[in-house]
Amino acid sequence: MADLAAETPVDPATWSCPAPLRDQGVVVMGHGGGGALSAELMEQVFAPAYGNPVLAALTDSAVLQLGGAKLAFSTDSYVVRPLFFPGGCLGDLAVNGTVNDLAMSGARPAYLSTAFVLEEGVGLDVVARIARAVGAAAEAAGVTVATGDTKVVESGHGDGVYVTTAGVGLVPDGVDIRPQRARPGDAVIVSGPIGLHGVAVMSVREGLEFGVEIASDTAPLAGLVAAMLDVTSDLHVLRDPTRGGLGAALNEIARASGTGVRLTERAVPVPDEVANACGFLGLDPFYVANEGRLVAFVPREHADAVLAAMRAHPQGTGAALIGECVAEHPGMVTVATGLGGTRVLDLPLGEQLPRIC
């Protein structure tokens, strides 16, 4: 054992904690993870600096009245590593992410902008491949890339390619979808299996083999939302569970609405390959990112019809009713486990898998 220790010295200075301390005076990776640290950064730094009622809603996209039209507006930056992964790449991720943020307000996405930050030395073939993916994803989503920008930074300062997209869409009359509208009695529905995107990115980043290729679920969801709105315009809440996964999304909704959420663990669709990978790595599938899924809070009287419409759409074939909104334990999410117990699904501190969207 002494010989082994001599061959592989341990340097505690290189250790890091996956859950950064909350009293950090500097930015840590957890601030970008979609959990409690992200919320604190928004609430303590950006919201006070910008201070306006539109931003205070803290929704995936802002809903604005402009010239008689009701518009949704959203922006997001994409810094995924690696740039290409099973099922997608940085380019289609950047389009689908913003399209889906608009759709979560019930909007019909129309126009996007793209801003590329390129690192000196990155191959032009890589940039062209990502640009083609942006174009193909925009066409598939039915949106137009109307404007953009490009910047180049010195070698070592950009990690290849970063992409920022912003988008606008039109919100139909009578549609009011926001987290504050969750009500006790609402059915909680997820549009399909969870955890695929995060595990797909992790598998290629870390060179892990799980016996089967796991592909990202990245996809545009505006068509699925339109199918749901065809059943009823009275959808209360829509959210795409990206950073922080389903667990973070449900906690944000519970806190914004002052209600509780009760889930049935066995009803949540977790693919075997995701469950096995998470079990091997000590991760919780509830907190793994998705890029082509949504969670909906739907009045109970419309839930069965909405669920049927979702299952009839290509992006909702695996939709499942996973729980309900309750008056008990406001601001808290609980899960009825398969063993008959109950656990609290808390807001994660940071993110289990950094740099995945």
Side-chain angles (χ1 to χ4, degrees):
M1 292 296 291
D3 290 341
L4 179 60
E7 293 174 4
T8 57
V10 175
D11 181 7
T14 65
W15 295 355
S16 63
C17 178
L21 296 176
R22 299 175 76 163
D23 59 356
Q24 290 281 350
V26 298
V27 173
V28 296
M29 289 301 295
H31 283 117
L37 287 175
S38 292
E40 289 177 4
L41 183 66
M42 184 66 194
E43 293 167 1
Q44 298 175 15
V45 176
F46 294 114
Y50 301 160
N52 66 78
V54 177
L55 183 66
L58 296 179
T59 51
D60 285 336
S61 58
V63 176
L64 314 168
Q65 294 286 345
L66 188 63
K70 190 176 181 181
L71 301 177
F73 176 50
S74 183
T75 187
D76 209 340
S77 295
Y78 298 86
V79 294
V80 67
R81 180 166 51 103
L83 298 174
F84 304 94
F85 46 84
C89 73
L90 176 65
D92 49 58
L93 192 66
V95 171
N96 292 336
T98 294
V99 164
N100 292 346
D101 282 347
L102 296 172
M104 295 308 103
S105 293
R108 299 171 184 142
Y111 296 100
L112 298 182
S113 71
T114 62
F116 277 66
V117 177
L118 309 176
E119 181 183 10
E120 181 184 24
V122 69
L124 286 175
D125 58 333
V126 172
V127 179
R129 185 177 170 189
I130 293 172
R132 288 194 297 269
V134 167
E139 182 177 1
V143 297
T144 299
V145 179
T147 187
D149 185 39
T150 304
K151 294 293 187 294
V152 178
V153 297
E154 296 88 347
S155 178
H157 292 269
D159 206 15
V161 182
Y162 297 154
V163 178
T164 295
T165 50
V168 293
L170 188 64
V171 180
D173 291 338
V175 172
D176 181 17
I177 298 173
R178 47 193 170 88
Q180 293 81 3
R181 292 198 67 218
R183 297 288 184 270
D186 284 354
V188 180
I189 300 172
V190 69
S191 64
I194 65 170
L196 290 165
H197 175 72
V199 173
V201 171
M202 175 184 60
S203 67
V204 292
R205 179 190 299 169
E206 307 298 340
L208 301 175
E209 297 286 344
F210 298 115
V212 60
E213 183 178 84
I214 301 173
S216 170
D217 58 5
T218 177
L221 298 175
L224 175 61
V225 172
M228 298 166 68
L229 287 171
D230 284 342
V231 175
T232 176
S233 62
D234 190 28
L235 301 178
H236 286 172
V237 187
L238 296 175
R239 181 62 63 94
D240 55 338
T242 52
R243 294 178 303 168
L246 183 63
L250 291 175
N251 271 278
E252 290 167 0
I253 294 167
R255 296 181 183 195
S257 62
T259 62
V261 177
R262 182 186 298 134
L263 303 181
T264 300
E265 189 170 46
R266 288 181 173 173
V268 179
V270 179
D272 289 342
E273 56 268 33
V274 170
N276 293 338
C278 288
F280 176 73
L281 296 165
L283 305 177
D284 188 336
F286 280 93
Y287 298 124
V288 177
N290 312 270
E291 287 292 342
R293 299 288 181 255
L294 65 80
V295 60
F297 282 56
V298 181
R300 191 63 189 86
E301 62 268 24
H302 300 303
D304 291 341
V306 168
L307 185 60
M310 294 173 71
R311 289 173 172 170
H313 190 277
Q315 299 303 332
T317 55
L321 196 159
I322 61 172
E324 61 180 339
C325 186
V326 297
E328 296 81 15
H329 52 77
M332 183 181 296
V333 181
T334 63
V335 182
T337 69
L339 298 177
T342 299
R343 69 182 177 107
V344 174
L345 191 68
D346 204 357
L347 185 68
L349 187 63
E351 186 174 34
Q352 297 181 110
L353 307 171
R355 301 292 303 281
I356 58 175
C357 58

